């Protein structure tokens, strides 16, 4: 007879771990207990040596589907006189090493129950179990217990309580456990009317089928929904959301339906059906008008809550627009009162429920490239899971992230917790979201940062916050380190950053950078030729200004030969811009790779003005069916730095007229080969690629392939987005 104490860490709470331990202990006839603590799951097991060893092996090999054991510490302790095996109440410790699971999409078993007329949860939209349902979005503190969640105000009925207490039930200690008798109710609000329960769901379905816009409360926030097959409904949503062209995410009834409209490979299908259930960018098969015009892909998802699933069972349409529930310029709505107020000008009705969202978390967005799913936005289904670093931080760290695609990162020891995606901090409401999320994450993770690090840019929201002794790091160096952190890249390596923009260490605006690293030290080794950004920020959307600035620089007086490129620009605006450029007023130069995409899009597609970030680049990518022979890569060396002469490439494009497809194919190849040629000159074997421009699948695949073929080792962001949403991890790694 012996007794062992086992401390288990990882994703072990809120995923049916204790019942699993309980059942395993009974299986091997052990006595003892299991308990949730903020230091991990603790179990003490007593029995024969053989059975205890079998028990430990069994735990390691058979843990529940959503659980992940990171660490298992075993110590021998003194035997006790006891009978049976117990699950005892949670204990709060000072050390928090347990990971709260992210929100989980509905599991198959719950999916069957809600559509089974004989089940007591038939058509109950807040059904969940230990394998699925809300987690982060409802949790206020750890350890994860019902009283620590927003479900604490609902008292379980005897039937639910019985499930909760029965180790053989799928709902044993399922903290958000609920049923139609005792749980939160669903409502549909329309003008002054308010329907409840099934009536609410049915009315909402009729509403949507009639082409009305409905706000739908999901796991981490509200969606704005309408029938994706009804162009009138979509137009009205676009108009009221002031979102004329930006692609809208859509939700299909099921995978089979999705496959009628999209090409979906195995990796993408697996992601769509996974517990994280992100929005996946997939190739179009059949056009749905106004959803993502001028692009050849859709952002799609499948129903991931019982409410979605039930709604589709009542709907005639099999695809809904499900876009984030925010008004233009506002943050995602998660509170009911907030949604009623802010979305009232957009939505005709509100389908909502009484389960409160404590942590706001938007849908994640991913795409498949090179055999793996990659992040565009990391949020629901992933936050707050940490990345494990190869080295322990001596002090806990707060990295503040970027500005346009904000997310912060908290580090304690070797765990880096990248926050959920926050959004554009230039929008006032998102600033509030950022600060609230920061406070909540600090509390939830038990991290009190001792050091802080931010981007160099003084204009960033994060640099206006009252933090003291803030360390600074250059934008593209942080991008590079986000990859280095994930792969524990040391020694000498080359970081290729193709990005929108970031403040350079020389005060200029950078964005097409080749940084030579030695561990965490770096120097600028090559960059794209700086081209003018006339009229400052205006050129971000009025992209013809970039072309005008570029051709004036390249051709000097002869620029007038290319005046035809601006025939669609209002004459007064054009004259004013010329004046500004000629007098050098408000004209900065930038080595941004993103801006080069804008110029080429303007030349190839005639786009003069964009309405959402990266629109021009995305439409240009859509025209590239496969890479063709690249435009000539011209480089020169200045002060020990290589400059890629993008001006020469623009000259080549403008020297003869070609189709948009041809220009796009040759230009994408040019970008790929300019990376390869530069890498060959710089002779560093290990290369990491980062920056938002690498969300371009054609560019990413092309670049990785040619670099690998040339014998380079290529490293990419895997657990974080390559855009500014992953920047905070790199900032943090600089301090580890
Ligand atoms: Zn379930
Ligand atoms: Zn109940």
């Amino acid at each position: 007879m012996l007794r062992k104490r086992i401390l288990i860490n990882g994703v072990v709470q809120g995923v049916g771990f204790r019942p699993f331990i309980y059942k395993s202990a009974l299986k091997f006839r052990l006595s003892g207990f299991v308990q949730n603590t903020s230091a991990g799951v603790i179990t003490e097991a007593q029995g024969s040596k053989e059975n205890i060893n079998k028990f430990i092996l069994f735990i390691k090999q058979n843990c529940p589907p959503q659980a992940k054991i990171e660490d298992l510490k075993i110590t021998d302790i003194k035997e006790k006189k006891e009978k049976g095996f117990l699950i005892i109440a949670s204990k709060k410790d000072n050390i928090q090493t347990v990971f709260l699971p992210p929100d989980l999409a509905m599991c198959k078993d719950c999916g069957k129950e809600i559509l089974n007329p004989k089940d007591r949860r038939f058509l109950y939209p807040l059904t969940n179990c230990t394998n699925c349902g809300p987690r982060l979005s409802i949790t206020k503190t750890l350890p994860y217990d019902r009283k620590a969640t927003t479900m604490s105000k609902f008292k379980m009925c005897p039937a639910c309580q019985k499930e909760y207490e029965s180790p053989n039930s799928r709902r044993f200690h399922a903290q958000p456990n609920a049923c139609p008798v005792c749980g939160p109710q669903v409502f549909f609000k329309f003008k002054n009317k308010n329907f409840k329960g099934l009536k609410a769901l049915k009315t909402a379905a009729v509403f949507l089928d009639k082409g009305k816009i409905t706000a739908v409360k999901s796991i981490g926030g509200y969606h704005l929904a309408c029938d994706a097959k009804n162009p009138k409904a979509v137009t009205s949503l676009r108009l009221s959301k002031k979102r004329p062209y930006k692609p809208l995410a859509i939700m299909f009834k099921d995978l089979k339906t999705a496959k009628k409209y999209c090409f979906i490979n195995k990796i993408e299908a697996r992601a769509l059906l996974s517990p994280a259930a992100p929005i996946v960018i997939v190739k179009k098969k059949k056009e749905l008008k106004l959803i993502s015009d001028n692009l050849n892909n859709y952002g799609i998802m499948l129903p991931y809550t019982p409410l979605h699933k039930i709604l589709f069972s009542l709907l005639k349409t099999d695809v809904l627009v499900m876009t984030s529930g925010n008004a233009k310029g506002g943050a995602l709505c998660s509170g009911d009162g907030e949604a009623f107020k802010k979305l009232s000008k957009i939505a005709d009705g509100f389908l909502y429920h009484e389960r409160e969202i404590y942590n706001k978390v938007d849908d994640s967005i991913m795409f498949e490239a090179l055999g793996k799913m990659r992040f565009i936005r990391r949020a629901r289904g992933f936050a707050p899971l940490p990345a494990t670093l190869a080295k322990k931080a001596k002090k806990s760290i707060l990295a503040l992230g970027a500005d346009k695609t904000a997310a912060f990162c908290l580090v304690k020891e070797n765990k880096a917790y990248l926050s959920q995606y926050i959004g554009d901090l230039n929008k006032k409401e998102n600033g509030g979201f950022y600060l609230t999320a920061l406070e909540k994450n600090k509390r939830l993770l038990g991290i009190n940062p001792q050091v802080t690090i931010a981007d160099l840019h003084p204009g960033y929201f994060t640099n206006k916050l009252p933090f003291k002794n803030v360390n600074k790091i250059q934008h593209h160096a942080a991008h590079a380190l986000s990859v280095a952190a994930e792969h524990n890249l040391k020694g000498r390596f080359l970081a290729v950053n193709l990005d929108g923009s970031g403040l350079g260490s020389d005060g200029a605006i950078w964005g097409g950078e080749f940084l030579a690293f030695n561990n965490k030290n770096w120097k600028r080794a090559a960059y794209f030729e700086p081209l003018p950004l006339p009229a400052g920020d205006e050129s971000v959307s009025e992209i013809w200004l970039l072309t005008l600035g570029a051709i004036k620089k390249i051709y000097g007086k002869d620029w007038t030969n290319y005046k035809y490129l601006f025939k669609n620009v209002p004459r007064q605006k054009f004259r004013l811009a010329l004046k500004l450029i000629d007098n050098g007023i408000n004209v900065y130069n930038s080595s941004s790779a993103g801006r080069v995409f804008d110029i080429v899009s303007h030349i190839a597609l005639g786009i003069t003005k964009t309405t959402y970030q990266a629109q021009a680049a995305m439409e240009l990518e859509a025209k590239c069916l496969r890479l063709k022979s690249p435009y000539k890569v011209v480089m020169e060396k200045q002060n020990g730095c290589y400059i890629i002469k993008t001006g020469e490439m623009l000259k080549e494009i403008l020297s003869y007229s070609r189709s948009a497809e041809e220009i796009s194919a040759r230009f994408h190849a040019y970008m790929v080969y300019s990376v390869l040629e530069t890498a060959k000159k710089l002779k560093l074997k290990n290369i990491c690629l980062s920056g938002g421009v690498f969300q371009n699948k054609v560019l990413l695949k092309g670049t990785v392939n040619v670099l690998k073929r040339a014998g380079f080792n290529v490293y990419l962001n895997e657990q974080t987005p390559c855009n500014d949403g992953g920047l905070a991890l790199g900032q943090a790694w600089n301090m580890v």
Side-chain angles (χ1 to χ4, degrees):
M1 198 72 119
L2 71 160
R3 186 179 184 89
K4 285 188 194 276
R5 182 186 159 90
I6 308 166
L7 172 65
I8 308 161
N9 268 301
V11 183
V12 290
Q13 293 186 7
V15 285
F17 200 78
R18 286 176 304 166
F20 160 70
I21 295 288
Y22 173 88
K23 281 184 223 166
S24 312
L26 294 190
K27 183 180 164 87
F28 296 103
R29 295 190 300 278
L30 305 174
S31 66
F33 68 85
V34 59
Q35 183 182 31
N36 267 353
T37 74
S38 38
V41 166
I42 289 175
T43 177
E44 289 188 14
Q46 184 168 310
S48 73
K49 188 181 171 187
E50 193 195 345
N51 278 354
I52 288 197
N53 288 339
K54 277 186 187 163
F55 169 69
I56 294 170
L57 192 69
F58 187 81
I59 296 176
K60 285 184 187 165
Q61 291 175 344
N62 297 283
C63 85
Q66 309 312 337
K68 199 176 152 221
I69 299 177
E70 284 256 338
D71 189 33
L72 205 137
K73 281 195 190 85
I74 306 166
T75 39
D76 289 311
I77 52 170
K78 244 175 126 180
E79 284 167 47
K80 273 184 195 166
K81 267 192 187 158
E82 67 183 353
K83 266 188 193 161
F85 195 91
L86 298 173
I87 296 178
I88 59 177
S90 300
K91 202 172 113 191
K92 193 169 168 69
D93 292 1
N94 293 327
I95 15 166
Q96 290 198 352
T97 47
V98 166
F99 314 142
L100 176 69
D103 298 299
L104 305 166
M106 184 179 57
C107 73
K108 275 197 178 133
D109 293 326
C110 287
K112 277 182 203 150
E113 285 172 0
I114 56 165
L115 296 181
N116 174 7
K118 286 183 188 148
D119 195 279
R120 69 187 192 93
R121 288 189 174 83
F122 179 52
L123 300 182
Y124 179 58
L126 293 137
T127 300
N128 63 81
C129 73
T130 43
N131 297 323
C132 74
R135 297 290 187 274
L136 169 69
S137 60
I138 57 165
T139 305
K140 296 177 178 176
T141 54
L142 283 180
Y144 174 67
D145 259 327
R146 190 170 177 105
K147 62 177 188 301
T149 72
T150 59
M151 283 299 290
S152 61
K153 59 179 145 190
F154 299 95
K155 190 173 156 39
M156 277 185 271
C157 69
C160 284
Q161 189 69 36
K162 203 177 156 197
E163 292 168 335
Y164 187 86
E165 284 166 8
S166 157
N168 292 318
S169 163
R170 211 172 77 244
R171 300 202 164 86
F172 178 70
H173 283 244
Q175 307 306 345
N177 189 22
C179 80
V181 175
C182 65
Q185 297 300 313
V186 63
F187 297 90
F188 181 70
K189 185 173 128 68
F190 152 63
K191 289 189 178 157
N192 294 327
K193 291 183 189 143
N194 215 352
F195 303 100
K196 189 177 171 185
L198 189 55
K199 181 93 174 101
L201 291 155
K202 282 185 173 166
T203 317
V206 171
F207 229 68
L208 284 161
D209 277 328
K210 275 189 181 162
K212 303 253 190 225
I213 298 165
T214 302
V216 178
K217 188 174 178 182
S218 296
I219 283 194
Y222 271 80
H223 281 117
L224 284 163
C226 74
D227 181 359
K229 285 179 174 168
N230 183 336
K232 243 174 121 180
V234 180
T235 305
S236 135
L237 176 60
R238 284 198 175 280
L239 280 174
S240 54
K241 224 190 158 189
K242 298 192 179 67
R243 184 167 161 161
Y245 300 110
K246 191 174 176 185
L248 295 165
I250 48 181
M251 183 182 275
F252 285 101
K253 182 183 182 134
D254 49 33
L255 188 62
K256 207 178 139 199
T257 313
K259 284 185 171 173
K260 284 187 208 159
Y261 293 87
C262 323
F263 295 98
I264 301 173
N265 68 29
K266 275 189 188 146
I267 299 167
E268 292 160 344
R270 210 182 304 138
L272 286 165
L273 295 168
S274 71
I279 295 172
V280 177
I281 310 292
V282 293
K283 204 173 159 209
K284 267 182 201 176
K285 190 187 273 179
K286 200 167 143 189
E287 188 73 32
L288 285 162
K289 268 188 201 153
L290 303 170
I291 299 301
S292 63
D293 288 359
N294 300 330
L295 301 179
N296 51 13
N297 50 34
Y298 293 124
I300 71 164
M301 54 186 151
L302 296 177
Y304 61 82
T305 72
L307 188 146
H308 298 151
K309 182 108 178 163
I310 295 166
L311 194 57
F312 272 108
S313 77
L314 301 169
L315 277 166
K316 287 197 186 98
T317 185
D318 49 14
V319 53
L320 290 175
V321 167
M322 286 288 252
T323 184
S324 296
N326 59 301
K328 184 166 173 98
L332 174 71
C333 292
S334 60
D336 303 328
E338 181 194 12
F340 298 159
K341 201 173 133 199
K342 291 181 183 159
L343 303 179
S344 64
K345 287 207 177 91
I346 305 173
D348 301 302
F350 292 82
L351 182 62
Y352 67 104
H353 55 73
E354 296 173 307
R355 192 178 63 208
E356 188 197 327
I357 297 168
Y358 182 76
N359 294 302
K360 207 188 283 211
V361 53
D362 217 329
D363 293 317
S364 292
I365 308 177
M366 304 184 90
F367 69 103
E368 184 274 334
L370 301 155
K372 279 186 188 165
M373 293 307 295
R374 304 186 181 276
F375 284 105
I376 290 177
R377 182 199 288 169
R378 187 183 177 278
R380 179 184 50 77
F382 298 97
L385 289 181
T388 301
L389 304 173
K391 208 172 131 192
K392 275 189 183 177
K394 289 191 188 81
K395 289 180 174 176
S396 54
I397 303 164
L398 166 62
L400 295 167
D403 211 41
K404 264 229 151 77
T405 311
F408 52 84
C409 184
L410 287 159
V411 179
K412 190 171 172 181
E413 298 186 342
N414 67 339
K415 297 286 181 253
Y417 300 85
L418 188 65
S419 78
Q420 70 267 49
Y421 159 88
I422 308 279
D424 185 354
L425 294 178
N426 294 305
K427 296 176 182 170
K428 208 175 150 213
E429 283 185 6
N430 280 333
F433 177 18
Y434 182 97
L435 294 173
T436 314
L438 179 57
E439 283 317 305
K440 286 179 174 177
N441 271 275
K442 272 161 63 178
R443 195 168 350 117
L444 199 56
L445 302 167
I447 298 178
N448 223 335
Q450 293 159 297
V451 288
T452 309
I453 181 161
D455 193 272
L456 278 183
H457 202 305
Y460 277 14
F461 171 84
T462 50
N463 277 327
K464 293 171 186 161
L465 298 173
F467 290 108
K468 281 188 188 130
N469 305 321
V470 179
N471 299 279
K472 296 286 168 75
I473 180 170
Q474 198 276 328
H475 193 91
H476 303 101
H479 268 307
L481 289 178
S482 72
V483 182
E486 287 199 36
H487 299 277
N488 192 27
L489 220 51
K490 287 182 206 156
R492 283 158 57 78
F493 62 92
L494 176 66
V496 180
N497 277 278
L498 302 188
D499 200 24
S501 66
L503 186 64
S505 51
D506 59 358
I509 302 163
W510 292 9
E513 310 303 315
F514 295 72
L515 309 179
F517 270 79
N518 189 357
N519 291 317
K520 286 168 187 171
N521 299 314
W522 59 274
K523 75 177 213 307
R524 199 181 193 196
Y527 53 91
F528 283 94
E529 172 184 3
L531 293 172
L533 299 176
D537 281 347
E538 212 181 318
S539 61
V540 173
S541 58
E542 302 272 346
I543 58 171
W544 60 273
L545 283 164
L546 301 168
T547 315
L548 183 61
I551 62 167
K552 288 207 73 167
K553 183 181 172 195
I554 303 164
Y555 295 105
K557 274 182 193 150
D558 291 338
W559 77 271
T560 46
N561 293 337
Y562 303 93
K563 233 177 173 170
Y564 67 89
L565 291 169
F566 309 97
K567 60 180 187 287
N568 294 329
V569 177
R571 288 187 66 183
Q572 211 180 346
K573 251 188 174 174
F574 186 71
R575 268 193 237 117
L576 183 67
L578 270 183
K579 220 177 184 177
L580 288 177
I581 295 171
D582 290 340
N583 297 321
I585 300 167
N586 203 11
V587 179
Y588 302 93
N589 287 308
S590 169
S591 52
S592 163
R595 299 294 83 84
V596 180
F597 273 84
D598 286 340
I599 295 171
V600 177
S601 303
H602 171 216
I603 295 171
L605 306 170
I607 303 172
T608 52
K609 191 177 163 68
T610 58
T611 62
Y612 63 91
Q613 205 190 350
Q615 178 182 354
M618 283 160 70
E619 293 191 11
L620 188 65
E621 182 189 356
K623 291 282 178 205
C624 180
L625 306 172
R626 60 188 176 82
L627 296 179
K628 285 191 178 166
S629 70
Y631 295 117
K632 191 163 185 269
V633 179
V634 181
M635 273 191 265
E636 69 175 32
K637 206 169 180 182
Q638 254 182 40
N639 308 323
C641 229
Y642 290 98
I643 300 173
I644 302 158
K645 305 288 281 179
T646 30
E648 296 301 315
M649 177 268 300
L650 293 174
K651 269 188 190 166
E652 194 179 345
I653 294 184
L654 288 167
S655 63
Y656 42 82
S657 78
R658 284 286 182 273
S659 69
E661 285 79 8
E662 167 105 15
I663 295 176
S664 178
R666 296 194 62 190
F667 167 67
H668 276 85
Y670 168 82
M671 293 304 283
V672 167
Y673 279 89
S674 58
V675 173
L676 177 68
E677 296 301 319
T678 313
K680 280 182 179 167
K681 287 220 159 37
L682 296 172
K683 297 191 180 79
L684 290 166
K685 185 105 180 130
N686 293 332
I687 300 183
C688 58
L689 306 180
S690 197
V693 175
F694 280 114
Q695 290 169 107
N696 181 318
K697 199 165 157 172
V698 175
L699 179 74
L700 178 67
K701 282 163 76 172
T703 310
V704 171
N705 288 337
V706 299
L707 287 174
K708 280 193 173 165
R709 232 179 287 140
F712 293 101
N713 302 320
V714 185
Y715 300 89
L716 305 174
N717 292 96
E718 310 283 349
Q719 302 175 56
T720 52
C722 65
N723 60 38
D724 284 2
L727 197 78
L729 177 67
Q731 295 175 336
W733 183 238
N734 194 47
M735 303 306 292
V736 174

